[in-house]
């Protein structure tokens, strides 16, 4: 499936908009390498990523990669960090656009849709980060783990708000509920493909599971 929106780091954006022609070209080349690495890593995993494949995807000679990234693992580390950082920024931006006064459970459902769309149809970076979290060496995951903690804080607040609204089932543990929801959303990258239904269908099913799994059903 074709993904939308490649990632251009802030430093590259500055170089492109205000730097010299050589700086702009360098920034864009670095971004091309990262985009290529994200696609290869999302499809072939940590063990299967070869710099020759990344170079071919980026339409470069493999030695050129070392000008921008001293090692294979440093390239992978950047992709893994960006996958979660971009996800966090995307979900936070979507939530900022939700009208004031929206019920906490509805905000949680909005976040679930934003998360699924980002990992399934927007970003190879996020797909790569989720799929390879358990495969890469711990040293590579340090920055990613910090981003995961920051992203988890968004979900902690969402779940807590549902509880404060008096909607969360009383038997549920807030942390366990948060981790189960996030775990289920993340796992979609492993099993979903267009033959199993549209992204819209995945979103609807996930929202239904969350709504009826977390919300207390009033007695009739």
């Amino acid at each position: 499936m074709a993904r939308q929106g490649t990632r251009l780091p802030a430093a590259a954006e500055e170089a492109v908009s205000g730097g010299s022609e050589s700086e702009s070209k360098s920034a864009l080349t670095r971004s091309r390498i990262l985009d290529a690495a994200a696609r290869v890593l999302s499809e072939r995993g940590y063990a299967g990523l070869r710099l020759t494949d990344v170079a071919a995807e980026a339409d470069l000679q493999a030695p050129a990669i070392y000008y921008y990234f001293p090692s294979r693992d440093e390239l992978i580390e950047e992709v893994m960090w960006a996958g979660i950082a971009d996800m966090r920024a995307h979900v936070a931006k979507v939530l900022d656009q939700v009208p004031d006064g929206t019920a906490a459970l509805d905000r949680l459902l909005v976040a679930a849709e934003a998360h699924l769309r980002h990992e399934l149809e927007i970003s190879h970076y996020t797909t790569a980060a989720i799929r390879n979290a358990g495969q890469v060496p711990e040293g590579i995951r340090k920055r990613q783990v910090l981003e995961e903690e920051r992203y988890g804080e968004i979900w902690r607040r969402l779940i807590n708000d549902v509880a404060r609204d008096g909607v969360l089932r009383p038997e549920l543990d807030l942390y366990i509920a948060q981790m189960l929801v996030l775990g289920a959303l993340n796992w979609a990258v492993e099993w979903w493909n267009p033959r199993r239904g549209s992204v819209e269908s995945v979103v609807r099913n996930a929202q239904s599971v969350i709504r009826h799994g977390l919300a207390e059903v009033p007695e009739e």
Side-chain angles (χ1 to χ4, degrees):
M1 178 180 59
R3 298 294 177 97
Q4 302 293 320
T6 56
R7 182 177 192 274
L8 192 62
E13 289 179 352
E14 292 175 4
V16 170
S17 61
S20 67
E21 183 178 347
S22 62
E23 288 174 337
S24 299
K25 183 178 180 181
S26 177
L28 288 171
T29 300
R30 186 177 190 277
S31 183
R32 277 168 52 204
I33 293 169
L34 283 168
D35 290 343
R39 286 191 292 271
V40 174
L41 186 61
S42 69
E43 295 169 0
R44 304 184 188 182
Y46 174 74
L49 183 142
R50 298 185 305 173
L51 291 184
T52 52
D53 295 329
V54 174
E57 185 77 27
D59 195 22
L60 296 168
Q61 296 296 316
I65 293 176
Y66 289 105
Y67 177 80
Y68 299 92
F69 299 94
S71 70
R72 171 181 179 272
D73 279 359
E74 288 191 41
L75 173 59
I76 292 173
E77 191 266 354
E78 180 73 13
V79 170
M80 297 286 287
W81 168 79
I84 304 303
D86 290 352
M87 168 80 89
R88 179 179 60 81
H90 174 74
V91 173
K93 181 179 180 180
V94 170
L95 287 172
D96 284 344
Q97 296 170 349
V98 175
D100 292 340
T102 299
L105 181 58
D106 290 332
R107 284 179 55 83
L108 180 63
L109 299 181
V110 167
E113 177 173 2
H115 182 108
L116 284 169
R117 290 191 180 279
H118 201 265
E119 69 179 354
L120 296 181
E121 66 181 6
I122 295 176
S123 176
H124 284 292
Y125 289 81
T126 299
T127 304
I130 293 172
R131 280 184 169 167
N132 291 279
Q135 299 181 29
V136 301
E138 283 303 309
I140 294 179
R141 286 228 332 125
K142 287 181 179 179
R143 274 207 304 163
Q144 182 187 4
V145 168
L146 291 176
E147 276 301 325
E148 288 173 352
E149 291 173 354
R150 296 177 69 189
Y151 184 48
E153 182 61 20
I154 293 176
W155 286 85
R156 186 191 69 79
R157 290 196 299 268
L158 290 167
I159 298 288
N160 285 352
D161 287 346
V162 173
R164 276 192 289 269
D165 272 6
V167 177
L168 193 73
R169 291 179 180 273
E171 71 271 19
L172 294 180
D173 177 274
L174 297 179
Y175 176 74
I176 294 175
Q178 171 190 331
M179 298 307 292
L180 286 172
V181 169
L182 272 177
L185 295 177
N186 285 341
W187 191 247
V189 302
E190 296 294 346
W191 59 261
W192 181 81
N193 63 59
R195 293 188 299 276
R196 291 182 177 271
S198 65
V199 173
E200 287 74 19
S201 179
V202 177
V203 168
R204 287 195 302 271
N205 277 267
Q207 289 177 328
S208 180
V209 169
I210 292 170
R211 180 183 294 277
H212 297 290
L214 297 188
E216 186 173 21
V217 179
E219 294 182 4
E220 298 183 356

